[in-house]
Amino acid sequence: MINTTSENPVLRVAPAAPAEAAAYFRASLAFHADVSDVAAVLAAGGDRGFVVVDSRSTESWDQGHVPGAVHLPTALIAEQAEQLLDKSVPVVTYCWGPGCNGATRAALALAELGYHVKEMLGGFEYWVREGFAYETWQGPGRKDADPLTAPVEGECGC
């Protein structure tokens, strides 16, 4: 039995039953994609099965974006999505990073228009921090992986 007491802030509210937890985490994976998973699929080439959408402003896009992403600011989704995206292809949205909910708002706007959509956790910040190549208005860029967000060598194993 799980010991839940008001003195233990972690267990003050008991963990969900295993079946409920499994349903929650399964649902979470239906809504989110990991930066490293997106990068791995893009690096593999071929038919990736999804399109990446950068929902930030033009100034932000110019500062840096995921190579091959479609630039579609959230404010323009309603008027431009149908010209830029195919409803039969899932969309992965991103914005600046975990402190920004722009990708969530973009995902909502796209879902309301009938697109299948996931949000890329970590956004552009974690794309760069994990050491993946990006593009700017000046050309390509890449930084060393931040050891707090990605392994310096090998794979994270998660």
Side-chain angles (χ1 to χ4, degrees):
M1 173 166 216
I2 297 173
N3 180 16
T4 58
T5 68
S6 62
E7 296 159 12
N8 183 331
V10 173
L11 299 176
R12 190 171 295 137
V13 174
E20 290 175 33
Y24 170 84
F25 293 117
R26 187 174 295 105
S28 177
L29 292 172
F31 298 111
H32 301 109
D34 181 271
V35 166
S36 61
D37 289 342
V38 171
V41 172
L42 296 181
D47 179 18
R48 55 181 104 157
F50 61 88
V51 63
V52 178
V53 169
D54 184 317
S55 64
R56 300 171 303 147
S57 68
T58 299
E59 295 80 13
S60 299
W61 168 268
D62 288 345
Q63 189 173 327
H65 57 271
V66 172
V70 172
H71 183 223
L72 181 56
T74 302
L76 301 176
I77 288 174
E79 69 181 66
Q80 294 184 3
E82 289 191 17
Q83 292 98 356
L84 298 173
L85 305 171
D86 179 345
K87 284 189 179 175
S88 69
V89 178
V91 177
V92 176
T93 62
Y94 75 89
C95 61
W96 274 112
C100 174
N101 68 1
T104 305
R105 285 183 272 121
L108 172 60
L110 289 163
E112 288 177 337
L113 292 173
Y115 292 88
H116 296 273
V117 62
K118 288 187 173 200
E119 178 182 1
M120 185 173 78
L121 294 176
F124 186 67
E125 175 188 349
Y126 275 71
W127 184 272
V128 174
R129 289 182 74 188
E130 291 190 24
F132 300 120
Y134 56 90
E135 296 174 346
T136 74
W137 68 273
Q138 297 173 310
R142 183 180 215 136
K143 297 184 184 229
D144 290 339
D146 178 341
L148 295 176
T149 65
V152 176
E153 294 180 25
E155 296 183 19
C156 74
C158 43

